[in-house]
Every structure is written in C-alpha cells, then in structure tokens.
Amino acid sequence: MTIRYPSGQQPPNAGRAGQPIVAPHSSSFAKRGMSLEKEINDANRYYLATEQAVIYKKPTPIQLVKVDYPKRSAAVVKEAYFKRPSTTDYNGVYQGYYVDFDAKETRGKLSFPLKNFHQHQVDHFRRCLAQGGVCFAFIRFTTLDLTYLLPASDLIAFWDQQGRGGRKSVPLTTIKDRGFRVKAGLNPVLDYLPALDQLIAANQAKGADHE
Amino acid sequence: MTIRYPSGQQPPNAGRAGQPIVAPHSSSFAKRGMSLEKEINDANRYYLATEQAVIYKKPTPIQLVKVDYPKRSAAVVKEAYFKRPSTTDYNGVYQGYYVDFDAKETRGKLSFPLKNFHQHQVDHFRRCLAQGGVCFAFIRFTTLDLTYLLPASDLIAFWDQQGRGGRKSVPLTTIKDRGFRVKAGLNPVLDYLPALDQLIAANQAKGADHE
C-alpha cells in the first residue's frame, strides 16, 4: 500500500543530508528513546495521511540568542540553547479526544523506573486530566520487546507515593495489569490506536462507575 | 490579585536579558502579530495558573545543522534554520475539547485578507475538524481594536471560494456575523474563554441541527 503524505509532510527517512541532528535531553536515558520515538512519528504520519488522527511531536523549544538575517537568503541561527519543555512531547486530537503523551524506553525487565519522568511532565498530565484530556505514558521494555500505554492516572499514583517514601519504579506486573499493550503491526509498525481505543473505553467505564 | 505560576513557568515580561528574539515568519504580516500573540500567551499563562485551560503556543521548529557539546556546560546550537511549521501555532485542552487556533492581525478596516493564512494551516484545520477538534482563527483588526474568534469552518469556506475565483478576503461584516467577539478584560487583558464558550455552544447547536 502506497501512502500519499499530506502536503508539507516528508515520507519517513527523507531527512535532508542524512540523519537529522537530534536535540539532547538532560536525562541519560534519552538515547534509549530514539527507536520508539521514530516508530511513533511514523505511526503519526500514517494516521495523518489516512485521516485517523492528528497527533504531532512538539518541536524542541530553543532559546535564540543570535540570529543572522543575510540579504536574499534564509535567516541563520548562530547561537541558541535548548530549553526544557513545559509539557510532554506529543499531543493532538483523535475522535473528539484531546490526546497527550510522552514516550519512554527502559532496559529493565521487572519494572519501569520513575526517574524516566520529570516533575513538569507529571504536572502537565495532571492539568490535562483535569480538563478531560486522554493522557498516558508510552512505555517500552526494550529488552522484552513489550510496549504499553499506561494511563497517566496510574503513573501519577506511583509518582505521588514515591514522594512519600514509596518505591521508585512501576512494576511490569502493574503495567501489564493497568496498561494497554501495543501489538506490533505491519503498517504502521507501531499501530497504537487499538490500544488507545481500549484506554479510552476503560476511562469511560471508570467514569460511568463514579456516576 | 497575585497569580502564582506553576513551576517552570515564568511570569509575563520575565524574559532573560530583555526582549526575547522572535523567530521570523515568511509573511511580511508577521510583525503585526506580536502584540496579539503576547496577549494570548499571557492569557494562556493565566488560564494555566487558574486551572481553566491548558493551551500552549508550539515552539518554532528548527532544523539543527551544527551543535557544540562543550564539556561541563550546556549544548550550544551553532548553525540552524527555521522550518515552516506543519500545524497552527496554538493547541491544548479545554473542558474536554481539543482546541486549535492561529492568531492573525490586520490593519484593514473592512475585511481580513486571506493571504494572512497559509495552505498548510488551512489543511491542518480541516484535519482537526474532521477529528472533532474546536478550531478557529483568532483575528484582530488592530486599527479598529476589534478581536474575534472566527470558526475554522467559516475560514475554510472563504478559503475554498477564493480558489474558485472568489474574493481574497473575509468581510468584517461576515466576521461580526459568524465570529465571536473577544472583549477586553482586566486579568487577563485578553479574556478569550467566554468567546470560546460561545463558539463551542454554537458548534453544538449546529451539530444538533444536523441530527
């Protein structure tokens, strides 16, 4: 099946002059996220082209310090620094829902270390949930080749108990129990909308329980 | 009233070393957007702090070419270029709705020139509307000091007839008729949520008509 990308979109692997330079992250775990991130971006491009969802990775925020404006050619950034984002990396709209998530990989086999997340990301999840957003962590256990969507509410519960002297990681058994597995697909390779459908359905069932 | 900003957020006008450098846009109209953009950012910061909405301006996408990683200090971008965004500038979540918009100013007194918009922004609106997003143009007539939220569906209707040899602008009378006026407030100065409430209510009434 040939995908026609919307105007302005580049097909996967069409970066100019080889590999794009990727912004560094403060966490030493950042590199582990490369492959998952690429698969998510490919899936989002596919969902956009097939009109299934409109979800983008946000650009890395940059603090500009020096910009040259040469005559008759494009502006050149000469000095700039990476800023820490205030939000998570991905958001968009899917079937009327505001969707918001971050992607993390771990080599652990028994649990997902909470240090993969930052306070500002958890705070952002909390605010989006309060506004009725669908929020989750996209977690991959690279060694086990297992990928789950863990509802942000579960992540937040573990985050908060950590501050009260609790454990510093979420057990894989909990993620299997509370999360929704993303199974490998063909096109896209990471077909995560079925897992997202399950997460949304579970949210609604939970909401109905409280009524 | 003193606003306590969420962690990581800077209060308005707290940019380091004076005015931040603003990324250039391809349109010569870009400069006119400065003041409206600042007011929207202030309003979004206020809505975030008061837990009324979670709406952010997306960072300008940058194509990195050369980045230095000095030992024991932050990475420095040495060469980079501005990329054209694939989406509109603002999105977020408000009372369960995915909200998506772009802000434009015009000095015109009778109509809003469509050349303020780009094809990719209109395409993005179309895709978000298809997924049930709440999309609109934030339009200010600077000379008249009038600000409106114009539903993206109306903008798209004018955009499409333009391609069929129609007029190249949206008359102010149409914007007054179809749009929702943003009245000046005290805190924030640009209190646009009441107009957004009206826009959402009108969307729902229209949806109900079609059932």
Side-chain angles (χ1 to χ4, degrees):
Chain A
M1 179 182 177
T2 305
I3 306 301
R4 293 180 61 250
Y5 291 91
S7 63
Q9 295 299 311
Q10 292 290 315
N13 304 321
R16 62 173 230 187
Q19 289 297 314
I21 298 174
V22 172
H25 291 266
S26 53
S27 162
S28 61
F29 291 83
K31 274 212 169 53
R32 301 184 196 172
M34 286 294 298
S35 159
L36 177 60
E37 180 180 314
K38 190 190 166 307
E39 288 182 22
I40 292 173
N41 291 343
D42 286 353
N44 288 344
R45 228 175 269 123
Y46 178 86
Y47 295 146
L48 197 69
T50 54
E51 299 179 5
Q52 293 185 77
V54 182
I55 296 170
Y56 284 94
K57 182 171 192 293
K58 292 189 181 180
T60 305
I62 302 270
Q63 176 74 49
L64 299 173
V65 175
K66 184 161 179 266
V67 181
D68 281 1
Y69 298 91
K71 275 180 188 161
R72 279 178 294 278
S73 62
V76 190
V77 178
K78 289 298 209 177
E79 187 186 351
Y81 298 88
F82 298 104
K83 289 197 290 190
R84 167 164 289 195
S86 319
T87 66
T88 46
D89 275 351
Y90 299 86
N91 77 357
V93 58
Y94 171 59
Q95 295 188 356
Y97 295 100
Y98 171 82
V99 171
D100 196 295
F101 61 94
D102 231 338
K104 307 285 183 187
E105 288 185 297
T106 178
R107 280 183 292 196
K109 290 175 185 172
L110 293 171
S111 65
F112 171 77
L114 287 166
K115 65 181 168 184
N116 281 288
F117 271 90
H118 299 286
Q119 185 68 48
H120 70 91
Q121 295 166 328
V122 176
D123 291 342
H124 176 72
F125 274 152
R126 237 186 271 267
R127 291 187 198 112
C128 290
L129 284 176
Q131 288 297 327
V134 173
C135 307
F136 55 91
F138 215 122
I139 296 176
R140 171 170 291 173
F141 289 84
T142 51
T143 314
L144 306 171
D145 197 20
L146 284 173
T147 307
Y148 287 88
L149 309 186
L150 180 69
S153 51
D154 292 302
L155 178 77
I156 291 169
F158 270 87
W159 186 268
D160 288 347
Q161 60 81 41
Q162 169 193 231
R164 298 190 298 268
R167 55 177 299 157
K168 308 281 182 213
S169 63
V170 186
L172 175 57
T173 51
T174 302
I175 293 174
K176 283 183 170 175
D177 181 40
R178 308 286 306 172
F180 301 90
R181 183 157 174 207
V182 180
K183 291 173 186 137
L186 282 177
N187 195 1
V189 171
L190 194 70
D191 192 14
Y192 69 87
L193 288 185
L196 180 52
D197 287 335
Q198 292 179 309
L199 188 151
I200 290 170
N203 271 357
Q204 288 177 329
K206 206 167 58 178
D209 282 352
H210 288 296
E211 274 163 19
Chain B
M1 180 182 177
T2 306
I3 306 302
R4 292 180 61 250
Y5 291 91
S7 63
Q9 295 299 311
Q10 292 291 316
N13 304 321
R16 63 173 230 189
Q19 289 296 314
I21 298 174
V22 173
H25 291 266
S26 54
S27 162
S28 61
F29 291 83
K31 274 212 168 53
R32 302 184 196 172
M34 287 293 299
S35 158
L36 176 60
E37 180 180 315
K38 190 190 167 307
E39 288 182 21
I40 292 173
N41 291 343
D42 286 353
N44 288 344
R45 227 175 270 124
Y46 178 86
Y47 295 145
L48 197 69
T50 54
E51 298 178 6
Q52 293 185 77
V54 182
I55 297 169
Y56 283 94
K57 182 171 191 293
K58 292 189 181 180
T60 305
I62 302 271
Q63 177 74 48
L64 299 173
V65 175
K66 184 161 179 263
V67 181
D68 281 1
Y69 299 92
K71 274 180 188 161
R72 278 177 295 278
S73 61
V76 190
V77 178
K78 289 299 210 178
E79 186 186 352
Y81 298 88
F82 297 104
K83 289 198 290 190
R84 168 165 288 195
S86 320
T87 66
T88 47
D89 275 351
Y90 299 86
N91 77 357
V93 58
Y94 171 59
Q95 294 188 356
Y97 295 99
Y98 171 82
V99 171
D100 195 295
F101 61 95
D102 231 338
K104 307 286 184 187
E105 288 185 297
T106 178
R107 280 184 291 196
K109 290 176 183 170
L110 293 171
S111 66
F112 172 76
L114 287 166
K115 65 181 167 184
N116 280 289
F117 270 89
H118 298 286
Q119 185 68 49
H120 70 91
Q121 294 167 328
V122 176
D123 291 342
H124 177 72
F125 274 152
R126 238 186 271 267
R127 290 187 198 112
C128 290
L129 284 176
Q131 287 297 327
V134 173
C135 308
F136 55 91
F138 215 122
I139 296 176
R140 171 170 291 173
F141 288 84
T142 51
T143 313
L144 305 172
D145 197 20
L146 284 174
T147 307
Y148 287 88
L149 309 186
L150 180 69
S153 51
D154 292 302
L155 178 77
I156 291 169
F158 270 87
W159 186 268
D160 288 346
Q161 61 80 41
Q162 169 193 231
R164 298 190 299 269
R167 55 178 299 156
K168 308 283 181 211
S169 63
V170 186
L172 175 57
T173 51
T174 302
I175 293 174
K176 283 184 170 175
D177 180 41
R178 308 286 306 171
F180 301 90
R181 183 157 175 207
V182 180
K183 291 175 186 135
L186 282 177
N187 194 1
V189 171
L190 193 70
D191 191 14
Y192 69 87
L193 288 185
L196 180 52
D197 288 334
Q198 293 179 309
L199 188 151
I200 290 170
N203 271 357
Q204 287 177 329
K206 207 168 59 180
D209 283 352
H210 289 296
E211 272 164 19

